[in-house]
């Protein structure tokens, strides 16, 4: 509660300061999640150039980053975001429920309103000493797996669902087997950090665990930062298609009169330049031409979507992550 | 009774005004936000409230949070007294520096403290590695949580005791000694009773601070359900599901429990203060 309020204050303060310093024709506030910091600082500059060329007007884009759920709550509580670029549709849904935009937001932009995607991969130590190749290696006794807590981290929910989907898709796979598989996997998790960066720290700095479950783009950043002599990426045989969605906050843009520029800001993410920037930051582009260019960078393993396997975020959240859901039952003492 | 008589004969005017101001200020700053807590959680209804606050996982977190906070406050009460005594009574080179170091846990962002402690005490850390060889695991266990809370709480005990020790006249101890008291008698019959009210306050402050601590603990706790989840983490967990009533329900329980404990310590303190005055 406390840190939440602090984060909100910090955002409010930063926005206030930034506002007094510039006098652009329009200002947008993009409320995003943690790992997109570098992506959007590059994209914002590109979009401002494009917008000035097209309309002759200047635009100033402010960024706010934090845990996806925390960011969504800040917007629900009154942070005036023009656009949301969050980690999962569930968080955007919740903002919509508060009345800031309609429930069909995901249909307003192409590709489920997700201009770039990612997936869940494994980060292992140099040389892969435990020989981890696929999901079923994670449940072996003696293998230690690091992932954040799905209850507090949006990213970790993708990890969990990817494992579940893998088990379901094995020959003879069913709900029961998937449950047993995920239970066995979490029995191998020694630490559940509250967020993705915390888990990366645990794995890399503390040297805990044989494998870290991570978003592909985060895994690449870790390899770049630490050098390929420390860690390497393993792509499992099948994984989930993570679709971080974007949305215009209708109520806010109508009030501020920024609808046109906010809409253009998100649409330009689908343009060749926007896609190029996303790909440079290790997000998978949607545009075939750009995907071709960066093909060597991304694994070819088949990816399933949350809609195919779980019937969408609302269902997945309720069945797996809400209180009393499957994840809780893994840790509930047997009665 | 004597304090009431004193107030009536105070030389300063404005009793009514200042009391009015106190009530208004406390209402705005403390009671109003807290009453919204009660209001939010009341939307649950009693049954749902009770199910939320009494589920096995939440109860396990109460035990951990109150237990670790109590342990940390107790450790600080003991060592904080020694630190305060040394700082108040002795002059030595570097005293000012040590004095300033005591305040660091106040000033440091708690997340920094948590990460630093985890780095130090995890199994590949400077202190964690030798401890692990001896079979003691610190990071990601309740012991690690207690350690973080001890770090956070130290200044509260030291800073409450220090001025009181400063005020404590060394002549009292000399008088006791010249009247034939042994060193132990002087300590236990003369010095400690005089410090007891401030000591209790310091303990209570440290304890209360620990109950609400989140930032430093989440890094060292490991957050394993039923084992190392502190209550504030469960509140965040509820918020992450947009379950505001559930989050506030747990918060209300924490609040009531803390209030009862602090009230108890306050009563104990005024009792010990009266005994001292008598």
């Amino acid at each position: 509660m406390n840190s939440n309020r602090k984060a909100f204050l910090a955002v409010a303060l930063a926005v206030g300061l930034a506002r007094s310093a510039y006098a652009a024709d329009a200002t947008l506030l993009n409320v995003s999640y943690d790992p997109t910091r570098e992506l959007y600082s590059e994209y914002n500059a590109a979009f401002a150039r494009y917008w000035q060329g097209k309309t002759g007007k200047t635009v100033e884009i402010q960024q706010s980053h934090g845990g996806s759920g925390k960011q969504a709550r800040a917007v629900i509580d009154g942070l005036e975001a023009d656009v949301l670029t969050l980690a999962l549709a569930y968080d955007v849904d919740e903002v919509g429920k508060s009345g800031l935009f309609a429930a069909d937001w995901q249909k307003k932009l192409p590709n489920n309103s997700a201009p770039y995607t990612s997936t869940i991969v494994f980060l292992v130590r140099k040389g892969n000493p435990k020989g981890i190749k696929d999901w079923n290696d994670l449940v072996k006794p003696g293998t230690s797996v690091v992932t954040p807590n799905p209850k507090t981290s949006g990213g970790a929910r993708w990890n969990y669902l990817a494992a579940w989907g893998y088990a379901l898709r094995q020959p003879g796979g069913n709900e029961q087997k998937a449950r047993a598989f995920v239970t066995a996997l979490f029995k191998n998790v020694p630490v559940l950090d509250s967020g993705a960066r915390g888990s990366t720290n645990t794995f890399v700095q503390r040297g805990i665990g044989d494998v870290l479950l991570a978003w592909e783009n985060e895994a690449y950043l870790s390899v770049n930062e630490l050098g390929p002599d420390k860690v390497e990426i393993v792509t499992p045989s099948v994984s989930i298609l993570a679709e971080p969605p974007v949305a215009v906050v209708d109520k806010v843009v109508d009030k501020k009169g920024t609808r046109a520029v906010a809409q253009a800001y998100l649409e330009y993410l689908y343009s060749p330049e926007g896609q190029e920037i996303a790909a440079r930051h290790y997000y998978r582009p949607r545009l075939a031409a750009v995907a071709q260019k960066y093909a060597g960078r991304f694994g070819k393993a088949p990816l399933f979507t949350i809609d195919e396997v779980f019937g969408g975020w609302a269902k997945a959240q309720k069945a797996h992550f809400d209180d009393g859901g499957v994840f809780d039952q893994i840790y509930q003492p047997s009665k | 009774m004597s304090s009431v008589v004193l107030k009536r004969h105070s030389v300063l005017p404005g009793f009514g005004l200042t009391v009015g101001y106190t009530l208004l200020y406390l209402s705005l700053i403390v009671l109003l936000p807290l009453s919204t807590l009660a209001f939010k959680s009341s939307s649950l209804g009693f049954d749902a409230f009770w199910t939320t606050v009494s589920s096995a996982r939440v109860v396990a977190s109460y035990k951990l949070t109150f237990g670790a906070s109590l342990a940390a406050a107790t450790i600080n009460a003991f060592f904080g007294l020694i630190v305060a005594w040394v700082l108040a009574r002795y002059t030595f080179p570097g005293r000012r520096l040590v004095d300033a170091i005591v305040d660091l846990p106040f000033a440091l962002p708690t997340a920094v403290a948590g990460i630093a402690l985890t780095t130090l005490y995890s199994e590949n850390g400077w202190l964690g590695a030798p401890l692990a060889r001896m079979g003691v695991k610190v990071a990601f266990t309740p012991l690690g949580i207690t350690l973080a809370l001890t770090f956070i709480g130290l200044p509260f005990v030291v800073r409450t005791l220090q001025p009181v020790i400063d005020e404590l006249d060394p002549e009292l101890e000399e008088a006791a000694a010249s009247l034939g008291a042994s060193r132990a008698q002087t300590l236990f019959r003369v010095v400690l009773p005089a410090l007891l009210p401030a000591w209790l306050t310091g303990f209570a402050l440290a304890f209360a601070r620990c109950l609400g601590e989140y930032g430093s603990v989440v890094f060292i706790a490991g957050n394993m359900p039923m084992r190392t989840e502190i209550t504030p983490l469960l509140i965040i967990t509820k918020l992450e599901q947009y379950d505001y009533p559930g989050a506030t329900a747990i918060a209300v329980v924490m609040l009531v429990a803390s209030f009862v404990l602090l009230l108890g310590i306050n009563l104990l303190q005024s009792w010990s203060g009266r005994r001292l005055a008598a």
Side-chain angles (χ1 to χ4, degrees):
Chain A
M1 203 90 165
N2 187 23
S3 70
N4 199 21
R5 201 168 295 157
K6 262 186 213 152
F8 183 72
L9 274 177
V11 168
L13 191 68
V15 170
L17 286 177
R19 227 170 236 175
S20 56
Y22 296 95
D25 294 324
T27 51
L28 289 182
L29 174 61
N30 176 5
V31 169
S32 194
Y33 63 113
D34 264 326
T36 60
R37 207 176 298 264
E38 294 79 12
L39 162 66
Y40 277 107
S41 65
E42 191 180 341
Y43 176 74
N44 289 347
F47 175 74
R49 264 195 314 276
Y50 157 79
W51 188 247
Q52 192 157 23
K54 192 180 163 208
T55 65
K57 293 196 175 135
T58 55
V59 57
E60 163 71 25
I61 299 139
Q62 287 143 11
Q63 280 298 130
S64 162
H65 297 274
S68 189
K70 209 179 272 181
Q71 295 291 79
R73 286 198 301 281
V75 174
I76 293 172
D77 293 341
L79 180 65
E80 292 205 321
D82 299 88
V83 296
L84 299 175
T85 54
L86 295 177
L88 34 107
Y90 173 67
D91 289 326
V92 183
D93 274 338
E94 288 294 324
V95 179
K97 272 191 211 156
S98 74
L100 289 170
F101 46 80
D104 64 345
W105 61 271
Q106 208 157 10
K107 299 203 178 72
K108 300 233 168 114
L109 287 163
N111 305 110
N112 277 332
S113 287
Y116 42 79
T117 65
S118 190
T119 185
I120 304 302
V121 298
F122 306 158
L123 200 64
V124 298
R125 305 203 181 276
K126 173 73 194 156
N128 197 358
K130 292 255 167 137
I132 292 163
K133 294 268 176 296
D134 205 354
W135 290 99
N136 55 0
D137 294 317
L138 305 187
V139 298
K140 287 182 182 156
T143 304
S144 170
V145 184
V146 177
T147 170
N149 191 335
K151 302 278 283 191
T152 50
S153 157
R157 274 170 237 167
W158 290 111
N159 296 350
Y160 170 107
L161 294 174
W164 186 282
Y166 162 82
L168 213 52
R169 293 189 150 213
Q170 292 317 292
N174 56 32
E175 288 278 316
Q176 244 164 357
K177 283 189 180 154
R179 191 187 182 120
F181 181 81
V182 171
T183 303
L185 195 159
F186 275 90
K187 291 271 186 275
N188 280 346
V189 177
V191 179
L192 286 167
D193 283 289
S194 59
R197 288 272 156 108
S199 278
T200 309
N201 246 334
T202 298
F203 181 73
V204 173
Q205 310 293 343
R206 316 273 165 271
I208 290 175
D210 302 306
V211 52
L212 171 76
L213 305 186
W215 285 52
E216 186 175 52
N217 58 309
E218 285 276 276
Y220 271 108
L221 290 185
S222 299
V223 172
N224 284 350
E225 209 166 298
L226 300 160
D229 54 327
K230 284 253 171 64
V231 287
E232 50 191 74
I233 293 174
V234 171
T235 313
S237 67
V238 59
S239 193
I240 196 164
L241 180 72
E243 298 183 297
V246 301
V248 171
V249 184
D250 289 334
K251 274 256 170 74
V252 174
V253 294
D254 287 343
K255 187 176 141 204
K256 285 171 65 181
T258 47
R259 176 175 287 282
V261 58
Q263 187 73 29
Y265 178 76
L266 294 187
E267 277 166 6
Y268 197 62
L269 282 168
Y270 293 87
S271 73
E273 187 182 17
Q275 294 281 293
E276 187 71 53
I277 292 170
R280 268 208 295 281
H281 291 274
Y282 303 102
Y283 280 97
R284 295 183 175 210
R286 293 281 198 183
L287 208 62
V290 182
Q292 203 92 58
K293 186 173 160 196
Y294 288 90
R297 189 173 267 199
F298 304 112
K300 303 266 183 308
L303 305 177
F304 53 84
T305 70
I306 187 163
D307 293 332
E308 281 162 29
V309 177
F310 301 92
W313 262 110
K315 275 192 184 163
Q317 173 74 28
K318 195 163 186 311
H320 293 275
F321 308 119
D322 272 357
D323 281 351
V326 178
F327 180 74
D328 276 357
Q329 290 165 26
I330 292 175
Y331 287 98
Q332 214 59 258
S334 46
K335 282 177 189 154
Chain B
M1 284 313 280
S2 61
S3 63
V4 175
V5 177
L6 254 179
K7 259 174 202 152
R8 205 170 286 156
H9 292 279
S10 166
V11 289
L12 292 174
F15 172 71
L17 188 69
T18 48
V19 167
Y21 177 75
T22 305
L23 287 181
L24 178 71
Y25 187 74
L26 280 181
S27 303
L28 282 178
I29 301 292
V30 181
L31 292 180
L32 194 66
L34 292 186
S35 63
T36 60
L37 260 188
F39 179 73
K40 267 265 183 192
S41 67
S42 70
S43 68
L44 269 178
F46 182 77
D47 283 346
F49 181 92
W50 184 249
T51 324
T52 305
V53 301
S54 65
S55 78
R57 200 159 153 206
V58 179
V59 170
S61 83
Y62 297 145
K63 284 186 193 154
L64 176 67
T65 304
F66 282 95
S69 299
L70 194 67
T74 309
I75 295 168
N76 274 330
F78 182 71
F79 290 101
L81 174 67
I82 298 177
V83 173
W85 185 265
V86 167
L87 288 175
R89 275 301 163 85
Y90 306 113
T91 42
F92 52 92
R95 188 176 70 99
R96 296 228 170 255
L97 191 70
V98 175
D99 203 33
I101 288 174
V102 169
D103 279 334
L104 273 183
F106 266 146
L108 205 64
T110 51
V112 177
I115 292 171
L117 286 171
T118 314
T119 308
L120 204 55
Y121 285 97
S122 71
E123 277 178 51
N124 66 353
W126 286 354
L127 289 174
L131 281 170
R133 276 197 293 278
M134 287 154 55
V136 184
K137 279 184 71 173
V138 181
F140 314 124
T141 68
L143 187 61
I145 297 175
T146 309
L147 185 81
L149 294 178
T150 309
F151 176 87
I152 295 297
L154 177 71
F156 290 88
V157 177
V158 177
R159 288 296 176 245
T160 331
L161 277 173
Q162 216 175 340
V164 182
I165 300 175
D166 273 332
E167 289 293 307
L168 195 68
D169 201 336
E171 282 176 16
L172 269 179
E173 295 145 49
E174 284 157 20
S178 72
L179 288 172
S182 70
R183 286 181 147 192
Q185 276 173 325
T186 311
L187 183 66
F188 287 106
R189 307 287 292 272
V190 178
V191 174
L192 289 187
L195 295 182
L196 191 60
W199 205 10
L200 282 170
T201 306
F203 175 81
L205 286 175
F207 181 62
R209 178 72 181 79
C210 292
L211 287 180
E213 176 59 18
Y214 175 76
S216 62
V217 176
V218 282
F219 292 99
I220 202 165
N223 308 325
M224 299 304 285
M226 306 301 295
R227 286 198 288 124
T228 56
E229 272 184 332
I230 53 168
T231 310
L233 179 81
L234 285 183
I235 295 177
I236 300 282
T237 303
K238 298 268 180 210
L239 286 177
E240 207 62 35
Q241 297 164 42
Y242 303 92
D243 178 8
Y244 289 71
T248 47
I250 301 179
V252 164
V253 170
M254 284 292 278
L255 194 69
V256 170
S258 315
F259 184 72
V260 168
L261 280 167
L262 289 177
L263 195 69
I265 294 171
N266 264 335
L267 288 176
L268 197 65
Q269 187 204 347
S270 70
W271 169 78
S272 72
R274 269 207 309 279
R275 223 178 54 133
L276 189 70

